[in-house]
Amino acid sequence: AGAATPAAAPPAPAPVFRLGVLTVSDRASAGVYEDASGPAVERALAGYVDGDVARACVPDDRARIAAALEALCADRTLV
């Protein structure tokens, strides 16, 4: 009888991250239209990482962007 073929190793689990996705858009943040890019980024990352996602959408204003980044970075591992 021939030697048994070793079983293939299971795939490595996807890294777990607490993701933060920030969209900067005057019109989307004002509700003129729905933010499509934030959810698109989330969907694109879904196949590569397994984790919790927080999304934020702010106007193109330096102070608001900085505040949103600080808030997301406070409890996220990848922004």
Side-chain angles (χ1 to χ4, degrees), residues 1-62:
T5 303
V16 177
F17 295 104
R18 291 178 51 82
L19 301 174
V21 176
L22 178 61
T23 301
V24 177
S25 170
D26 290 330
R27 293 179 290 167
S29 66
V32 174
Y33 59 78
E34 186 175 341
D35 171 28
S37 60
V41 169
E42 185 177 346
R43 284 190 304 276
L45 293 173
Y48 299 98
V49 297
D50 180 21
D52 175 38
V53 178
R55 279 189 275 138
C57 183
V58 298
D60 190 3
D61 173 79
R62 180 175 274 183

